[in-house]
Amino acid sequence: MKQAIVIGLLACGMGLCACTDRVVYKDPSAPVEQRVEDLLRRMTLEEKVMQVTQWTYGKNMNVNNVEQEMKAVSPMIGSLLYRSTSAVFYNQIQRKAMEESRLGIPILCGFDVIHGYRTIFPIPLGQACAWNVDKVGESCRIAARESRLSGVHWTFSPMVDVARDARWGRVSEGYGEDPYLNGVMGAAAVRGYQGDDLSKSDAMAACLKHFVGYAYSEGGRDYHYTDISSQALWETALPPFEMGVKAGAATVMSAFNDISGIPASANRYTMTDILRGKWGFDGFVVSDWGAVEQLKTQGVAADDAEACRKALTAGLDMDMVDDVYRRSLPELIAEGAIAEEVLDEAVRRILRVKFRMGLFEKPYVEELPDTTRYLRPEARAVARELAAESMVLLKNESGVLPVRSEVKRIALMGPMADNWVDLMGSWWGQGEAEDVVTIREGLEAEFAGKTRIDYCAGCDFEGEDRSQFARARALARQSDLVVLCMGEKRGWSGENASRASLALPSIQEEFIREMARTGRPIVVLLSSGRPVDVRGFEGDVDALMAIWQPGTEGGNAAAQLLSGKVNPSGRLAITFPVCAEQQPVYYNRRQSARPRLGRYQNLADEPKYPFGYGLSYTNYAYGKLRVDRTTLQPGERLVAEIEVTNEGSCDGKETVMWFVSDPVASVSRPMRELKHFEKQCIPAGESRLYRFEIDPERDLSFPDATGERHLEKGTFFLEVNGQRVEFELI
Ligand code: NOJ
């Protein structure tokens, strides 16, 4: 009797109490872990299987179908990936889950909010070029608010795949070629989406993706095999994910790719040993779309059952849309091929996120009008500022920009000039074309009363139609300046959008050259989701600015840069190679055995525009790089400072990038590695001090092929803007 009481008390303490009527999982004051355990022990096998399942209804936007769809949504489903902005719809399905399912477990509603929900910000590659960590965080905060107010709890963002092959269409979705920059921006995005408390009504769960190595797909072909050395995995692919996990990311998405023979979605080493074992991640992993089923195509599973067993036991908790888990798990568990505890662990991780999000207490969303939810002035302001800072001025001969006051007529041409759809880029969330300020609208507003803007498309994105060339030529000749808006359609980058050549279609290059022949100064605004091979026209133009796919406020941002209201401050987060054949070309490569030899006989070695490149309308003078010591020991700090003066006549924002080199180590190191950066506003005529404190453990150590970090004594170099100082770790 005495023993029974003790056991009863213990069980109560752990939330497993069956001796009172208190339903612990429904009690918001109980700790999350107790609520999870309490709920888990009440669940049937079927209910658990439904929790690890995500369904979708494709792109069905027809409001008249809501009732029909509603009937199809199981109230027991763990998650729904659906495209609807209707809070009414989400409340309806949530009501079904809360009221019609036995245990009332809310559905986690996910959607790809990649660079904005209704207010669309620049594509992530553009955001990285802004080097403005706070602004990136703010944009995610706004995206989270707009999403959560619409019933969406979970975004499949940020993507922190370090991407070095511009042929891969998804370079547009990440933060460029550097692991540290991806990590810093990814962590800012996680904090922006999630805020300090996931249960707040303006926070949404983030999802770090694609775990891991997806950007290594062979030849830049999407979904392809990736051959990743253990060294590259640890020093390039994994670090941004680790930074995102440390920032508190609630979820992670397993990638499509096969990592050197073990597909990412069946990879126990990455999903369990590293993510959980080494980093202590306690959220859940969702597969990419159909990635469990694809284990069969990838040649590691003979049938659905084997795919299910491999994925779940490797640590993949939720199955996105292919329904393999739901169809296979009951039998696999019944026959003992998978222990029920493995499923329990996956369910536990999913429930934990739902509890942390406060969904059990607040499953419904307030049904507010669009004007309250979307495109508020502060959202548009952030979209405009981030877009302006993301744009990179690549060329500006004889100071053709900013547009001078003598310019009375601008000829505005090209397929992007009066285009709103492509300006949003791939993954435009719930962005609407009518919300977008086109470049034409932006220029007309910015130059109103000062400069006349004459528009003519002139040419299309591709094809052979030259019928507007003559008109365009005439218009150019009547103008003082020609602004050509060229580039890629939004479908030319993003998922399943690999391109063998980085050049624009020949019609666009020909059109630019034709306009240049008029003798008028030519400015090209280049909109793309990747670096472009500019050989076909760059020599013919006076100014070139990469504007990426800048989103809702893109037209205003571009116009403010052209007028000089905003000084360009974007810097490349990814190298512009001369052409696709020059790849791989990225700044942090390793030294060749014979540095001056081994180059292509028929192609330059230097990229067209390197990582970190970008011009401004002002001049920044860098003072001498100072360090407070030239030797340091582990545990000590080396403080480096540099003063930057804005010597021009307009205010500007300057990003200082700090690189470290380690010329001799037990594992060879990249020639330079970005370790820190900072962007500051420097008013004209003023100076600002930039500072970097080297922490040896953080900044000078490196991982080996097993992930173990080494801090080795010896000579290092610190480099800023071409200045280098040597120091010793003793
Ligand atoms: C496939 C993409 O690879 C992934 O990034 C996205 O989040 C999912 N589909 C869901 O749409």
Side-chain angles (χ1 to χ4, degrees):
M1 177 65 192
K2 204 171 169 192
Q3 198 185 8
I5 292 171
V6 173
I7 291 169
L9 284 174
L10 273 177
C12 283
M14 294 164 67
L16 303 174
C17 181
C19 57
T20 71
D21 284 346
R22 181 170 164 245
V23 180
V24 176
Y25 84 90
K26 289 191 172 165
D27 176 2
S29 67
V32 165
E33 292 308 311
Q34 284 186 17
R35 299 179 77 186
V36 169
E37 294 308 325
D38 180 63
L39 178 52
L40 190 58
R41 77 177 176 86
R42 295 169 193 268
M43 291 170 80
T44 62
L45 180 61
E46 189 195 2
E47 283 162 341
K48 291 177 190 172
V49 168
M50 291 303 278
Q51 267 319 293
V52 296
T53 298
Q54 182 185 63
W55 282 351
T56 186
Y57 285 98
K59 288 184 180 155
N60 195 331
M61 295 283 279
N62 187 343
V63 285
N64 301 321
N65 287 343
V66 165
E67 202 44 47
Q68 194 187 332
E69 297 297 351
M70 295 299 303
K71 291 204 187 86
V73 176
S74 161
M76 285 198 293
I77 198 79
S79 172
L80 186 70
L81 195 175
Y82 193 72
R83 188 187 164 87
S84 168
T85 54
S86 165
V88 177
F89 167 81
Y90 283 114
N91 281 342
Q92 276 177 309
I93 60 154
Q94 210 61 285
R95 193 154 287 119
K96 252 172 98 92
M98 301 308 289
E99 292 171 7
E100 292 178 28
S101 74
R102 192 177 69 88
L103 294 164
I105 306 177
I107 298 171
L108 186 66
C109 299
F111 184 58
D112 285 285
V113 183
I114 306 301
H115 49 112
Y117 186 71
R118 177 73 182 263
T119 306
I120 303 302
F121 301 95
I123 50 170
L125 182 59
Q127 295 187 24
C129 294
W131 297 80
N132 189 331
V133 184
D134 293 343
K135 227 17 114 201
V136 168
E138 276 175 53
S139 74
C140 296
R141 194 90 213 101
I142 292 163
R145 181 184 177 278
E146 291 189 353
S147 307
R148 191 84 190 249
L149 287 180
S150 306
V152 174
H153 314 121
W154 179 27
T155 176
F156 306 117
S157 167
M159 180 183 114
V160 290
D161 293 306
V162 177
R164 293 170 172 177
D165 189 334
R167 294 172 298 184
W168 190 51
R170 306 198 80 169
V171 293
S172 59
E173 295 175 51
Y175 302 108
E177 74 187 33
D178 181 71
Y180 175 72
L181 182 57
N182 267 279
V184 171
M185 292 301 182
V190 167
R191 286 191 288 264
Y193 288 133
Q194 300 191 171
D196 53 10
D197 178 357
L198 260 180
S199 71
K200 286 196 178 149
S201 57
D202 60 355
M204 115 172 117
C207 181
L208 295 166
K209 71 184 188 186
H210 305 84
F211 200 62
V212 58
Y214 184 27
Y216 280 74
S217 61
E218 279 184 339
R221 295 178 178 94
D222 209 1
Y223 314 123
H224 275 237
Y225 178 74
T226 61
D227 194 2
I228 312 176
S229 71
S230 303
Q231 188 61 37
L233 187 71
W234 279 103
E235 74 178 33
T236 306
L238 288 170
F241 285 93
E242 186 176 9
M243 290 165 82
V245 166
K246 277 195 185 135
T251 72
V252 168
M253 182 185 292
S254 76
F256 284 132
N257 55 295
D258 179 339
I259 312 172
S260 309
I262 310 289
S265 299
N267 201 309
R268 191 175 165 85
Y269 178 56
T270 54
M271 288 190 289
T272 295
D273 300 353
I274 298 173
L275 185 62
R276 270 80 181 227
K278 206 166 162 90
W279 299 345
F281 174 69
D282 70 354
F284 72 88
V285 178
V286 62
S287 74
D288 201 341
W289 185 288
V292 178
E293 191 167 33
Q294 286 163 21
L295 294 175
K296 294 184 293 182
T297 325
Q298 287 172 311
V300 295
D303 50 26
D304 282 353
E306 193 173 9
C308 173
R309 186 178 53 75
K310 286 205 162 177
L312 189 74
T313 54
L316 202 168
D317 307 305
M318 184 183 279
D319 180 6
M320 183 185 279
V321 310
D322 58 29
D323 222 20
V324 169
Y325 277 13
R326 195 187 59 85
R327 287 186 277 108
S328 316
L329 272 170
E331 206 174 312
L332 284 167
I333 289 185
E335 68 195 20
I338 297 181
E340 191 161 347
E341 293 77 65
V342 178
L343 174 61
D344 284 354
E345 185 53 28
V347 175
R348 185 177 281 125
R349 292 167 179 154
I350 293 165
L351 293 178
R352 186 178 288 142
V353 171
K354 291 187 177 186
F355 280 116
R356 284 182 182 158
M357 293 203 74
L359 294 185
F360 286 80
E361 286 66 64
K362 276 196 244 156
Y364 309 115
V365 59
E366 204 181 339
E367 291 164 14
L368 298 168
D370 283 7
T371 44
T372 323
R373 290 189 285 172
Y374 307 140
L375 295 158
R376 299 202 309 185
E378 60 273 27
R380 278 195 175 272
V382 172
R384 190 164 53 250
E385 288 156 14
L386 190 52
E389 291 197 31
S390 74
M391 297 179 182
V392 184
L393 184 61
L394 298 170
K395 179 176 182 181
N396 193 15
E397 299 270 283
S398 48
V400 65
L401 292 179
V403 175
R404 301 189 186 116
S405 54
E406 307 90 84
V407 172
K408 295 297 171 211
R409 287 185 74 167
I410 292 178
L412 178 69
M413 300 189 262
M416 284 301 296
D418 201 24
N419 178 321
W420 49 89
V421 170
D422 295 292
L423 229 43
M424 284 194 281
S426 63
W427 296 114
W428 57 95
Q430 299 287 2
E432 300 261 341
E434 74 222 24
D435 306 333
V436 175
V437 179
T438 66
I439 299 175
R440 183 181 181 183
E441 288 166 342
L443 254 66
E444 283 171 353
E446 182 67 18
F447 289 91
K450 288 175 273 181
T451 307
R452 175 172 156 179
I453 311 289
D454 295 306
Y455 165 74
C456 152
C459 85
D460 205 347
F461 283 102
E462 54 191 336
E464 297 294 325
D465 184 3
R466 293 172 180 77
S467 59
Q468 292 186 45
F469 275 30
R471 191 171 153 233
R473 255 192 310 266
L475 200 61
R477 289 206 179 96
Q478 292 159 14
S479 310
D480 305 310
L481 181 73
V482 179
V483 175
L484 303 178
C485 307
M486 319 304 289
E488 296 189 317
K489 286 185 178 180
R490 69 175 174 196
W492 294 2
S493 57
E495 187 179 346
N496 193 19
S498 302
R499 289 176 84 81
S501 160
L502 306 179
L504 296 180
S506 55
I507 190 83
Q508 291 198 46
E509 296 187 337
E510 185 184 330
F511 180 69
I512 299 172
R513 289 195 299 266
E514 277 288 308
M515 294 307 107
R517 260 183 228 123
T518 63
R520 293 293 181 271
I522 306 286
V523 174
V524 170
L525 300 183
L526 179 63
S527 175
S528 67
R530 57 159 62 74
V532 170
D533 169 352
V534 297
R535 286 175 301 174
F537 63 88
E538 186 264 347
D540 299 283
V541 307
D542 299 276
L544 173 62
M545 182 142 64
I547 66 166
W548 309 112
Q549 287 156 338
T552 311
E553 281 286 317
N556 281 333
Q560 291 187 344
L561 289 176
L562 292 186
S563 75
K565 187 178 278 174
V566 177
N567 188 354
S569 64
R571 303 281 208 93
L572 293 179
I574 190 165
T575 302
F576 263 54
V578 169
C579 54
E581 297 92 311
Q582 199 190 33
Q583 297 187 122
V585 48
Y586 50 94
Y587 91 87
N588 42 357
R589 52 186 169 167
R590 284 177 158 81
Q591 186 58 278
S592 130
R594 295 182 170 188
R596 277 187 294 279
L597 302 178
R599 300 175 177 191
Y600 293 121
Q601 293 184 338
N602 50 359
L603 188 61
D605 204 47
E606 291 306 309
K608 180 65 198 166
Y609 301 113
F611 176 83
Y613 181 80
L615 304 172
S616 151
Y617 295 154
T618 190
N619 298 321
Y620 298 107
Y622 279 66
K624 195 168 161 29
L625 169 59
R626 293 187 307 261
V627 289
D628 71 341
R629 62 180 73 209
T630 51
T631 58
L632 83 163
Q633 298 181 30
E636 292 181 343
R637 300 281 183 274
L638 180 153
V639 179
E641 287 180 342
I642 194 158
E643 192 173 70
V644 182
T645 304
N646 180 348
E647 293 188 329
S649 53
C650 61
D651 300 348
K653 288 185 177 175
E654 175 67 341
T655 302
V656 170
M657 300 170 200
W658 302 84
F659 297 91
V660 164
S661 333
D662 180 357
V664 183
S666 57
V667 176
S668 68
R669 308 300 311 136
M671 285 187 273
R672 299 188 307 144
E673 289 181 279
L674 182 71
K675 293 292 176 181
H676 181 61
F677 62 87
E678 187 187 356
K679 187 172 194 175
Q680 291 193 45
C681 180
I682 315 184
E686 294 190 18
S687 304
R688 291 288 180 272
L689 195 65
Y690 291 75
R691 196 167 187 272
F692 173 36
E693 222 176 270
I694 293 183
D695 169 350
E697 278 77 11
R698 185 193 59 196
D699 303 315
L700 307 179
S701 71
F702 57 86
D704 64 18
T706 69
E708 196 190 324
R709 291 197 80 84
H710 299 265
L711 181 63
E712 295 178 349
K713 293 177 179 160
T715 304
F716 291 84
F717 292 92
L718 176 64
E719 188 193 309
V720 174
N721 198 43
Q723 293 187 54
R724 253 157 90 95
V725 291
E726 187 178 326
F727 64 95
E728 295 282 324
L729 181 72
I730 52 172

